[in-house]
């Protein structure tokens, strides 16, 4: 079975631009969470979606938004990019959000 | 005080050594505990998942949870150079589904 897939793998954007990151969870999993990991730190929670509903939101500005589609895939959008948004963005898949969470390889976003 | 504190490392050991990685936490609502391994520039890989105090073993890995002391550990026996990675502890509250991570410990196993 395929694991969690994220696209694209790498991205370079200019300050002020907008970016959309995509995630497909493990087949049968209904929950997708997004995390931001800056160099040298553990991942920080951004959003969790379960059955297409937002279940939780971390301490991130409104420039960050997400959604989950009927097939349980998800998109993370970031508007008005700042240099500080440069990070590895990780998607985690779990059956119901409370159990074991499996991560994709991440999207490395560089803002210049 | 951060919710999850993890020994900063870096940690360097010879091949075959027993490695001990540790995290402490302050939030008594944490109920589920995980250890992830993360190779450079890759996503975290789930190694161990546990929810009760005591030990859980899987091959060369043993996860230990002490809820009374708010302390978790990961032991790696017969460490191999391929174990060289950053190890992250993570925890979930029962009612809040977000994972709270430690900062990670960079482990190097030298041949």
């Amino acid at each position: 079975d395929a694991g969690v897939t994220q696209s694209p793998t790498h991205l370079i954007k200019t300050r002020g631009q907008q970016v959309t990151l995509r995630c497909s969870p493990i087949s049968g999993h209904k929950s997708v969470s997004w995390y931001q990991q800056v160099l040298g730190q553990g991942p920080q929670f951004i959003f969790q979606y379960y059955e297409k509903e937002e279940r939780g939101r971390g301490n991130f500005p409104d420039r960050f938004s997400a959604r989950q589609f009927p097939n349980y895939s998800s998109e993370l959008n970031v508007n008005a990019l700042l240099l500080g948004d440069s990070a590895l963005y990780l998607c985690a898949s779990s059956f119901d959000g409370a159990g074991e969470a499996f991560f994709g390889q991440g999207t490395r976003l560089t803002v210049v | 005080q951060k919710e999850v504190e993890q020994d900063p490392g870096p940690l360097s050991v010879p091949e075959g050594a027993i490695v001990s990685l540790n995290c402490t936490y302050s939030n008594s609502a944490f109920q589920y505990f995980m250890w992830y391994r993360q190779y450079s520039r890759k996503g975290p890989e789930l190694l161990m998942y546990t929810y009760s105090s005591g030990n859980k073993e899987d091959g060369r890995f043993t996860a230990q949870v002490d809820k009374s002391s708010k302390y978790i550990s990961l032991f790696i026996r017969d460490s191999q150079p391929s174990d060289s990675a950053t190890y992250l502890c993570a925890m979930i509250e029962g009612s809040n589904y977000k994972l709270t991570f430690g900062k990670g410990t960079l482990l190097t196993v030298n041949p």
Side-chain angles (χ1 to χ4, degrees):
Chain A
D1 280 343
V4 181
T5 57
Q6 290 187 243
S7 63
T9 53
H10 297 87
L11 207 50
I12 299 175
K13 289 286 189 178
T14 303
R15 278 178 296 175
Q17 284 189 314
Q18 175 264 342
V19 68
T20 298
L21 311 180
R22 296 177 176 83
C23 172
S24 293
I26 293 169
S27 177
H29 284 190
K30 300 180 179 180
S31 179
V32 169
S33 299
W34 288 94
Y35 290 80
Q36 180 196 65
Q37 187 178 26
V38 298
L39 199 62
Q41 301 292 321
Q44 296 293 311
F45 173 75
I46 309 175
F47 287 107
Q48 187 184 85
Y49 278 78
Y50 175 69
E51 290 279 19
K52 302 174 288 278
E53 297 290 326
E54 181 183 302
R55 178 183 265 175
R57 172 186 287 254
N59 188 23
F60 280 82
D62 291 344
R63 299 184 296 107
F64 289 77
S65 63
R67 56 180 174 169
Q68 187 177 32
F69 298 100
N71 66 354
Y72 302 111
S73 67
S74 177
E75 286 183 351
L76 174 70
N77 295 285
V78 187
N79 292 323
L81 286 166
L82 303 174
L83 294 179
D85 295 331
S86 295
L88 181 67
Y89 287 85
L90 296 162
C91 172
S93 164
S94 66
F95 178 71
D96 61 2
E100 298 163 286
F102 300 90
F103 284 84
Q105 291 301 290
T107 294
R108 185 161 298 281
L109 172 65
T110 303
V111 182
V112 297
Chain B
Q1 180 187 12
K2 288 195 170 186
E3 281 190 291
V4 180
E5 299 277 2
Q6 185 169 1
D7 286 354
L11 190 59
S12 181
V13 301
E15 183 174 354
I18 296 174
V19 176
S20 172
L21 303 165
N22 309 294
C23 288
T24 58
Y25 61 95
S26 58
N27 185 349
S28 57
F30 285 137
Q31 295 186 17
Y32 306 97
F33 305 91
M34 280 152 273
W35 284 96
Y36 287 86
R37 176 175 63 194
Q38 186 174 29
Y39 292 112
S40 181
R41 307 179 80 82
K42 301 292 186 183
E45 173 193 6
L46 181 63
L47 288 176
M48 301 291 283
Y49 170 83
T50 185
Y51 50 85
S52 57
S53 284
N55 294 348
K56 180 179 180 180
E57 188 173 319
D58 184 1
R60 296 185 295 111
F61 299 93
T62 299
Q64 185 177 81
V65 174
D66 183 345
K67 289 187 177 181
S68 62
S69 301
K70 298 189 179 67
Y71 188 91
I72 68 170
S73 297
L74 178 71
F75 298 96
I76 307 174
R77 290 183 299 280
D78 187 26
S79 56
Q80 303 295 309
S82 59
D83 294 328
S84 298
T86 295
Y87 289 80
L88 296 155
C89 63
M91 308 176 189
I92 301 180
E93 293 181 35
S95 59
N96 179 340
Y97 300 105
K98 72 172 188 175
L99 281 166
T100 301
F101 282 87
K103 197 173 178 178
T105 301
L106 177 62
L107 170 68
T108 301
V109 181
N110 301 297

